[in-house]
Amino acid sequence: MLRTTTKIKVKNISKFKIQLIQWAQQFKEIIWLDSNNYQQKHSNFDAILAVDAVSKIETTYANAFEKLKEYQSNVNDYIFGYLSYDLKNDVEKLTSTNFDGLYFPDLVFFQPKKIFLIKGNTIEFKYLNAYQHEIGIDIHEINQQQIINTQQQETNNPLKIKLRIHKDEYYQKLNTILNYIHRGDIYEVNFCQEFYSDNSTVNPFIVYQNLNEISNPPFASFLKLNDKFLLSASPERYIKKEDKIVISQPIKGTEKRAKNYSEDKKLITELAQHPKEISENTMIVDLVRNDLSRFAIKGSVNVNELCKVHTFKQVHQLISTISCKVKRNLHPVDIIKSTFPMGSMTGAPKISAMKIIEELEETKRGLYSGAVGYFTPKGDFDFNVIIRSILYNASKKYISYSVGSAITAQSIPKKEYEECLLKAKAMKYVLLTSK
């Protein structure tokens, strides 16, 4: 047994969560995953914090999944980390040669000294045995944290946010994609564009808190690896394994929120019946079913939920849930490799879509449209999709956020551009109002 477990109950869990993540800022390695009390039948915990690496793997895409497989098997413990989009080059014969201002490694996982699992008002401390004596000290320190008022952290020096692809060029690129679709090369592709600010600095913790406050998503994450940060308000689960069941929950189909209840209800009904949005989602469901069938027990792939509308603070989205059963001796990393990158961020057919993405996008995606999550000692795992996220390299003073939309034969470039701006709204706002 590697870890000592202690459980405590707290009266005010919202306050404790803020104190906990504030306390964690002292460490070089942090991963915080928060469901924001979003009611999800597939979630085991409301929030998880992992801090302070005792061992770590950091690598380029070359042979990355095999290296991760070896690391996960040897450690045989909880490991937390990320898979960048560019691991596609390990899965297929592809390249990534577009501009990169962030310089994140392609894959990082670490074994934390300290893990905090939150469910309801119970916090479970899982410390490596060598650090179990620090549990009492840490509880005291966490409870002593004075909560920072992030709303008063206004900036005197607003960032200048630039576009990597300007509007007219975006329209031209979309018309090129539509030509590929009409020619039959692809059915759908997720085309993304970057917004960035160079020679800029922010307080990552405050930006994350403000982003989370206005978005309140079910797969929020704060990641710190030395000078590199991910501040994510993701609404999407990529893939989860629990025992013999694997589920994937792609999002495709977006509608804005209305200011009043009756108008909001009308938009929900329209989204649920919208032919283009439904066709976007259904194409990716087929792709995910195909990915899962590579390793699933025969006949076990099932669409549990098709195109269900889920409502978030900023938008309504169509989400589908696909599941399958797997054999116990199947390595968890092989499951991820068989489905990576996720269909919702690539397109169909997947390889053709990824080639077109590389040709027409201007920025290397890196961690954007990759995944953050963890493996358990039993070989279970849970990963989100990195969207609605701000990436920050503090040493390079480079801030980046990307947004995209699914392009199909029915796409209208103006509408797709408006969808991108809608998805970018929260990230732009917090960067311009937080310091």
Side-chain angles (χ1 to χ4, degrees), residues 26-292:
Q26 65 187 287
F27 299 105
K28 289 181 179 178
E29 300 91 6
I30 307 168
I31 288 188
W32 166 253
L33 306 168
D34 190 357
S35 72
N36 284 301
N37 300 319
Y38 197 85
Q39 295 307 306
Q40 287 221 79
K41 59 185 175 187
H42 298 294
S43 289
N44 295 358
F45 305 102
D46 298 334
I48 302 177
L49 173 69
V51 296
D52 207 6
V54 70
S55 72
K56 183 158 71 167
I57 177 175
E58 186 175 304
T59 182
T60 65
Y61 67 79
N63 215 23
F65 281 106
E66 208 50 49
K67 291 173 187 171
L68 176 59
K69 193 172 170 179
E70 186 181 345
Y71 178 70
Q72 193 273 336
S73 299
N74 289 343
V75 170
N76 195 28
D77 186 20
Y78 287 89
I79 59 169
F80 289 74
Y82 71 73
L83 311 154
S84 81
Y85 172 79
D86 297 294
L87 295 184
K88 68 183 173 61
N89 306 335
D90 185 34
V91 180
E92 306 291 346
K93 289 183 178 176
L94 297 167
T95 56
S96 299
T97 57
N98 288 329
F99 172 80
D100 177 16
L102 287 161
Y103 300 96
F104 279 48
D106 291 334
L107 178 148
V108 178
F109 276 84
F110 69 92
Q111 178 189 16
K113 291 176 185 173
K114 303 174 182 184
I115 301 170
F116 305 79
L117 305 171
I118 298 173
K119 187 76 174 174
N121 68 342
T122 300
I123 297 93
E124 188 176 336
F125 296 72
K126 283 187 174 291
Y127 279 34
L128 286 173
N129 290 341
Y131 303 93
Q132 61 178 298
H133 63 282
E134 296 180 14
I135 293 176
I137 301 163
D138 291 347
I139 291 170
H140 177 73
E141 283 186 7
I142 293 161
N143 284 319
Q144 293 303 306
Q145 292 288 313
Q146 295 296 311
I147 292 176
I148 298 166
N149 186 343
T150 58
Q151 301 308 313
Q152 291 178 0
Q153 305 288 322
E154 299 252 326
T155 175
N156 300 318
N157 181 25
L159 302 173
K160 186 174 182 187
I161 295 170
K162 306 172 196 173
L163 287 79
R164 188 69 59 192
I165 300 172
H166 288 275
K167 196 172 180 180
D168 290 346
E169 191 184 0
Y170 178 86
Y171 288 163
Q172 287 169 12
K173 286 175 181 284
L174 249 64
N175 285 323
T176 302
I177 290 169
L178 288 168
N179 287 337
Y180 280 129
I181 292 170
H182 295 141
R183 212 169 71 182
D185 295 343
I186 48 165
Y187 309 111
E188 176 179 350
V189 65
N190 192 283
F191 180 66
C192 301
Q193 57 175 317
E194 183 195 24
F195 296 78
Y196 68 98
S197 185
D198 47 13
N199 200 26
S200 299
T201 57
V202 290
N203 182 318
F205 172 67
I206 288 169
V207 172
Y208 167 76
Q209 289 286 79
N210 289 338
L211 180 63
N212 195 49
E213 180 69 28
I214 64 171
S215 301
N216 223 233
F219 296 100
S221 49
F222 177 93
L223 175 146
K224 174 188 175 186
L225 294 167
N226 296 307
D227 60 342
K228 297 173 183 69
F229 296 85
L230 163 73
L231 323 168
S232 178
S234 175
E236 183 173 358
R237 171 180 273 125
Y238 158 40
I239 194 167
K240 178 184 180 182
K241 175 181 174 286
E242 186 170 9
D243 195 23
K244 293 190 288 183
I245 304 295
V246 172
I247 65 159
S248 184
Q249 296 183 291
I251 291 180
K252 274 284 156 272
T254 306
E255 183 55 88
K256 65 180 182 291
R257 294 292 309 271
K259 284 182 179 155
N260 63 67
Y261 177 75
S262 59
E263 185 63 27
D264 215 33
K265 223 173 169 189
K266 187 182 164 200
L267 290 173
I268 288 171
T269 305
E270 285 173 4
L271 178 59
Q273 298 169 353
H274 198 292
K276 177 197 175 272
E277 309 289 355
I278 289 167
S279 107
E280 267 183 36
N281 196 298
T282 308
M283 282 184 207
I284 298 307
V285 168
D286 284 343
L287 188 153
V288 172
R289 284 171 63 204
N290 184 57
D291 281 351
L292 296 185

Side-chain angles (χ1 to χ4, degrees), residues 337-351:
K337 186 177 180 181
S338 297
T339 60
F340 198 84
M342 61 291 297
S344 61
M345 293 308 296
T346 50
K350 195 189 269 191
I351 296 172

Side-chain angles (χ1 to χ4, degrees), residues 387-399:
I387 51 176
R388 321 287 156 83
S389 301
I390 295 164
L391 291 155
Y392 176 45
N393 184 322
S395 299
K396 300 282 181 188
K397 296 187 177 180
Y398 190 86
I399 303 163

